[in-house]
């Protein structure tokens, strides 16, 4: 029995995770031997309004007894974003040392990329984002508020251990993919300490992975390569902030922010990993019932893969691809008119074989 902690959170997070759970329940029924037990957590902005915190202090400890975490998003317009982010998502990622953030990017069948003359096979990328330190270390401070010399400092922290473990993880992913090409993205011309260390460690580790081809890009140039030469890219590793920015671009190039999934992984499996769509709360459309649930389905695929349930993962991914290639029931951001509920029903029908055309 898999025990899944479900944290829908805020905004459209609740809409797409509810949909994902329904779809997973249908999958669990249709695949042999996939018993799943869902445990709902009401953490997030509503919890904050009642208790003054996004999740209880002992919450991270509680999550350790689960096999996996299925997360929606954190944030509402009336609470500053850094409070909702640090109080929930980052608290879990750091607390469970989920240091590897994996972001697959593919142009799914039937989906239209904003890039011209592009085929499905031209975008098949795997982004690996450092997820525990770097620009998101949380170290820094603020002083002299209210004076003209108001001062603020965010420290970007890179440790040899932190850089080495994410790069090794990226080399392993690159090795497992047919093209075996790993691109290191930095800004080591301007950030002359930490990012230079990233380059040095990369050169060192690459000696252990002689079967993996490598190259290096500065982050600004990488944006151009993604737009002008997407075919040339395979696996990419970058710091927390750089990869955050690049993967928004990647999601849009592959059709929409609404599709993109992610896994916050503890590759050593000391603790559960956490899976979520990357789009966030989407204040502009929340509560309207039109959110794109594909990112949450694809995140569920990653969760099943992480649990070793490869057949179930494949079945869910095929259902997503059937949904997108049929083009009949697509959400608004993909040019369709279907609501989240309608798409949920179509997915359940596909999975349970009611829609076998
Ligand atoms: C992401 C998101 C988050 C991040 C936001 C919601 C804080 O943009 O998962 O990419 O920056 O990590
Ligand atoms: Mg982001």
């Amino acid at each position: 029995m898999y025990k899944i902690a479900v944290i829908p959170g805020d905004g459209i997070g609740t809409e797409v995770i509810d949909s994902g759970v329904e779809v997973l329940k249908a999958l669990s029924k249709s695949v042999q031997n996939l018993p799943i037990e869902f445990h709902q957590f009401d953490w997030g902005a509503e919890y904050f309004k009642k208790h003054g915190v996004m999740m209880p202090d002992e919450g991270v400890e509680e999550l350790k007894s689960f096999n996996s975490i299925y997360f929606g998003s954190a944030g509402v317009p009336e609470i500053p974003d850094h409070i909702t982010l640090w109080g929930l998502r980052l608290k879990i990622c750091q607390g469970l040392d989920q240091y590897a953030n994996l972001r697959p990017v593919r142009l799914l069948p039937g989906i239209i990329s904003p890039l011209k003359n592009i085929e499905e096979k031209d975008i098949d990328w795997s982004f690996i984002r450092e997820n525990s330190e770097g620009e998101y270390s949380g170290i820094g401070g603020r002083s002299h508020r209210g004076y003209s010399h108001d001062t603020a400092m965010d420290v970007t922290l890179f440790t040899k251990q932190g850089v080495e473990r994410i790069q090794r993880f990226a080399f392993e992913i690159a090795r497992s993919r047919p093209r075996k090409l790993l691109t290191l993205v930095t800004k080591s011309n301007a950030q002359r300490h930490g990012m230079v260390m990233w380059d040095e460690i990369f050169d060192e580790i690459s000696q252990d992975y002689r079967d993996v081809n490598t190259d290096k890009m500065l982050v600004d140039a990488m944006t151009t390569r993604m737009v002008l030469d997407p075919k040339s890219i395979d696996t990419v590793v970058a710091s927390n902030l750089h990869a955050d920015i690049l993967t928004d671009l990647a999601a849009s190039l592959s059709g929409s922010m609404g599709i993109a999934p992610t896994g916050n992984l503890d590759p050593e499996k000391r603790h559960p990993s956490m899976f979520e769509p990357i789009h966030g709360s989407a204040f502009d459309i929340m509560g309207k019932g039109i959110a794109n649930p594909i990112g949450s389905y694809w995140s569920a695929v990653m969760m099943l893969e992480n649990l070793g349930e490869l057949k179930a993962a494949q079945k869910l991914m095929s259902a997503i691809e059937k949904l997108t290639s049929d083009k009949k029931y697509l959400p608004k951001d993909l040019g369709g008119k279907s609501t989240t509920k309608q798409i949920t029903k179509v997915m359940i029908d596909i999975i349970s074989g009611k829609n076998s055309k």
Side-chain angles (χ1 to χ4, degrees):
M1 174 69 80
Y2 291 114
K3 280 178 66 195
I4 309 293
V6 181
I7 311 174
D10 308 316
I12 64 165
T14 57
E15 302 167 42
V16 298
I17 291 299
D18 283 356
S19 168
V21 168
E22 277 190 55
V23 167
L24 276 168
K25 282 183 180 162
L27 189 72
S28 159
K29 272 193 213 142
S30 80
V31 174
Q32 260 194 347
N33 247 327
L34 187 68
I36 309 180
E37 188 184 283
F38 296 95
H39 186 98
Q40 293 275 338
F41 289 87
D42 62 352
W43 302 341
E46 285 313 309
Y47 191 93
F48 183 90
K49 287 176 194 162
K50 280 188 226 138
H51 305 278
V53 284
M54 294 287 288
M55 66 185 277
D57 274 349
E58 63 286 3
V60 169
E61 216 34 56
E62 205 178 334
L63 290 174
K64 289 185 181 168
S65 66
F66 288 85
N67 297 103
S68 221
I69 306 165
Y70 194 36
F71 185 85
S73 76
V76 289
E78 55 289 10
I79 306 175
D81 281 343
H82 65 275
I83 293 181
T84 49
L85 174 66
W86 280 96
L88 190 59
R89 184 172 168 275
L90 289 182
K91 190 169 169 163
I92 297 170
C93 289
Q94 285 200 348
L96 299 178
D97 200 23
Q98 296 163 337
Y99 66 84
N101 187 259
L102 185 60
R103 301 191 160 192
V105 183
R106 267 175 53 209
L107 186 57
L108 298 180
I111 303 286
I112 297 170
S113 165
L115 295 177
K116 276 187 255 156
N117 304 325
I118 191 144
E119 292 175 51
E120 243 173 82
K121 62 173 174 35
D122 296 343
I123 299 185
D124 182 358
W125 304 330
S126 182
F127 274 79
I128 291 114
R129 169 179 178 185
E130 202 296 313
N131 211 35
S132 65
E133 51 178 43
E135 307 86 347
Y136 283 55
S137 71
I139 301 169
R142 181 87 183 259
S143 70
H144 308 99
R145 267 180 204 263
Y147 291 94
S148 57
H149 54 298
D150 193 344
T151 304
M153 182 171 69
D154 284 291
V155 177
T156 294
L157 173 90
F158 293 120
T159 63
K160 179 160 189 182
Q161 198 192 27
V163 176
E164 195 170 327
R165 66 183 183 175
I166 196 64
Q167 290 191 1
R168 280 196 184 277
F169 177 78
F171 270 104
E172 292 292 334
I173 299 282
R175 178 176 265 175
S176 73
R177 291 166 56 86
R179 288 178 60 199
K180 298 190 196 319
L181 167 65
L182 178 62
T183 302
L184 169 69
V185 172
T186 67
K187 187 68 188 173
S188 57
N189 54 348
Q191 294 174 292
R192 59 187 176 158
H193 306 296
M195 297 260 106
V196 172
M197 187 169 86
W198 271 72
D199 280 339
E200 288 169 8
I201 294 176
F202 191 74
D203 292 339
E204 243 172 73
I205 295 179
S206 63
Q207 301 305 313
D208 295 341
Y209 294 88
R210 289 176 187 271
D211 53 326
V212 176
N213 297 314
T214 58
D215 61 6
K216 291 185 185 147
M217 294 293 293
L218 297 173
V219 65
D220 46 349
M222 188 65 182
T223 58
T224 310
R225 179 163 161 194
M226 287 166 69
V227 173
L228 299 182
D229 195 10
K231 281 200 274 291
S232 71
I233 300 168
D234 178 31
T235 312
V236 181
V237 62
S239 72
N240 215 327
L241 182 63
H242 289 169
D244 174 43
I245 298 166
L246 292 180
T247 51
D248 263 29
L249 174 60
S252 307
L253 295 178
S254 63
S256 166
M257 282 299 292
I259 297 174
T262 195
N264 301 284
L265 310 178
D266 167 16
E268 273 104 70
K269 306 217 166 176
R270 296 157 297 175
H271 303 307
S273 295
M274 177 160 75
F275 301 86
E276 54 169 338
I278 78 168
H279 49 61
S281 294
F283 303 151
D284 53 333
I285 58 160
M286 64 189 193
K288 294 189 178 160
I290 57 166
N292 180 350
I294 295 178
S296 74
Y297 303 154
W298 197 346
S299 301
V301 171
M302 295 183 76
M303 178 162 81
L304 292 164
E305 281 168 355
N306 185 258
L307 293 169
E309 293 294 340
L310 303 185
K311 253 178 82 183
Q314 184 54 49
K315 180 161 185 180
L316 182 52
M317 197 67 218
S318 305
I320 296 172
E321 288 174 3
K322 175 150 177 49
L323 175 81
T324 58
S325 59
D326 277 358
K327 297 188 207 168
K328 270 197 300 201
Y329 301 98
L330 290 177
K332 196 162 174 267
D333 57 313
L334 294 175
K337 290 200 176 78
S338 300
T339 63
T340 315
K341 282 214 157 71
Q342 286 166 335
I343 296 169
T344 313
K345 185 173 177 308
V346 174
M347 281 293 285
I348 293 173
D349 286 349
I350 297 174
I351 286 168
S352 48
K354 282 185 206 148
N355 178 336
S356 50
K357 272 191 286 155

